Amino acid sequence: MRLSKPRKQGQLGISMTPMIDIVFLLIIFFMTVSQITYVNDEPLELPQLAGTDDQETSTFTINITSEGSIVISGRTVSLSETLLFVGQELSARGGDPSQVKIMIRCDHRRSSDLVNELVRKLSELGIRQIRVGVQVSS
Amino acid sequence: MTSMIDVVFLLLIFFLVTTTFVKAERQLRPMIQVQEETQESSQQGFLEPAVVYVKRRGTQSIFKLGGREITAYDELLEVLQVFENKEDGSFVVVDDQVPFDMTAAAIQACREAGFTSVSYVPANESP
């Protein structure tokens, strides 16, 4: 069985095999890279700082956009809903506030009013520490 | 072969367009307190703890440390490094109107200056 047509003598043909190899490698690369996104993390412009530690896995991530919306797991929620979720998380962990690791990712252009309000409410719930997300400057 | 190459190219273009690279992120870990507790604890220590106020002055935001008003991060860091009682921790009192950039910078400066703990304190709302 002959799959390819016999090439006429003296005619130059483009070899497809290496090109397909490269294209497949590129596809695999982009497929892999595009998976490395975290569902809980909204695309935000965080403050550009060195930070103190590498990000640990938090139990609860609160995203605050530059417009002042609170986004949790891709859903825009109100402040009272946020506190309700934190309360649920707290009771799911036996009511121990030290077990709830809250990460606040706030856009650097946003004023601190929402974070302040959140901190006041979290303090009432007995939470004593938060994590603040920063972006390492490239 | 031709149709397969067509599909492969379409896939490649799709992934090229949709891919967004994740930027490297780190974290700061401030303690949180409310205003009343800070005032109590500041009276307990022998030396006054470092309290950085992040305030709004007209159109710009400033750091206020004691009577000193600071605008630059490096200057704030320099002043904080002079404090001797690093074990007592520091407090960052934040006004509602300041951009979060400044708040995070104040927490970062306290940790970089060597304070063992940094407390985030929301400023009392003005009446």
Side-chain angles (χ1 to χ4, degrees):
Chain A
M1 192 169 71
R2 295 178 72 172
L3 288 174
S4 56
K5 287 177 189 169
R7 200 180 297 158
K8 283 177 193 169
Q9 270 195 341
Q11 191 183 340
L12 282 172
I14 304 164
S15 179
M16 288 302 245
T17 323
M19 193 195 74
I20 294 168
D21 285 352
I22 292 165
V23 166
F24 266 117
L25 273 175
L26 282 170
I27 286 178
I28 292 163
F29 170 74
F30 282 109
M31 277 176 81
T32 319
V33 163
S34 63
Q35 292 301 307
I36 314 169
T37 50
Y38 301 101
V39 181
N40 290 336
D41 293 357
E42 276 291 298
L44 297 172
E45 296 266 333
L46 301 180
Q48 290 216 341
L49 292 165
T52 51
D53 338 63
D54 287 328
Q55 271 191 15
E56 301 161 49
T57 320
S58 53
T59 52
F60 203 78
T61 306
I62 302 168
N63 300 282
I64 300 171
T65 65
S66 57
E67 293 87 31
S69 318
I70 302 173
V71 183
I72 295 169
S73 303
R75 245 188 77 202
T76 306
V77 294
S78 64
L79 184 66
S80 51
E81 275 179 301
T82 308
L83 296 167
L84 191 76
F85 292 144
V86 175
Q88 282 171 354
E89 187 71 34
L90 199 61
S91 47
R93 292 179 186 270
D96 182 6
S98 64
Q99 296 294 310
V100 183
K101 293 172 184 168
I102 293 176
M103 162 67 75
I104 297 180
R105 295 177 75 250
C106 180
D107 197 290
H108 75 101
R109 293 159 291 186
R110 178 72 203 164
S111 58
S112 305
D113 54 349
L114 259 175
V115 180
N116 275 2
E117 197 52 38
L118 259 171
V119 164
R120 283 187 200 105
K121 301 289 183 196
L122 292 175
S123 182
E124 282 171 23
L125 289 170
I127 290 159
R128 290 281 166 266
Q129 192 169 41
I130 52 165
R131 285 151 174 79
V132 174
V134 291
Q135 197 170 291
V136 181
S137 52
S138 47
Chain B
M1 202 64 150
T2 323
S3 51
M4 192 195 79
I5 294 167
D6 286 353
V7 172
V8 164
F9 268 116
L10 275 175
L11 277 171
L12 183 65
I13 292 160
F14 170 75
F15 283 112
L16 271 167
V17 173
T18 56
T19 303
T20 49
F21 291 94
V22 178
K23 287 169 187 165
E25 284 182 23
R26 279 166 69 83
Q27 64 178 18
L28 296 164
R29 286 172 55 177
M31 307 296 286
I32 55 174
Q33 283 196 12
V34 286
Q35 195 84 332
E36 297 78 42
E37 289 174 38
T38 319
Q39 283 165 355
E40 266 173 39
S41 60
S42 67
Q43 286 159 4
Q44 286 164 6
F46 176 69
L47 291 164
E48 281 289 310
V51 185
V52 182
Y53 291 90
V54 190
K55 286 176 171 286
R56 193 90 181 154
R57 272 274 181 283
T59 52
Q60 66 166 356
S61 302
I62 54 147
F63 304 111
K64 197 172 175 211
L65 191 60
R68 206 165 161 174
E69 292 190 354
I70 302 161
T71 48
Y73 174 84
D74 292 332
E75 198 186 343
L76 174 70
L77 185 62
E78 231 169 74
V79 177
L80 284 167
Q81 276 166 341
V82 177
F83 278 78
E84 282 173 15
N85 50 338
K86 299 269 168 55
E87 288 77 29
D88 295 349
S90 58
F91 299 89
V92 176
V93 185
V94 184
D95 267 6
D96 280 354
Q97 296 81 23
V98 295
F100 191 69
D101 225 3
M102 292 286 281
T103 307
I107 299 168
Q108 175 83 54
C110 288
R111 287 308 303 265
E112 229 171 285
F115 286 93
T116 48
S117 73
V118 184
S119 296
Y120 183 112
V121 188
N124 278 340
E125 291 151 79
S126 45

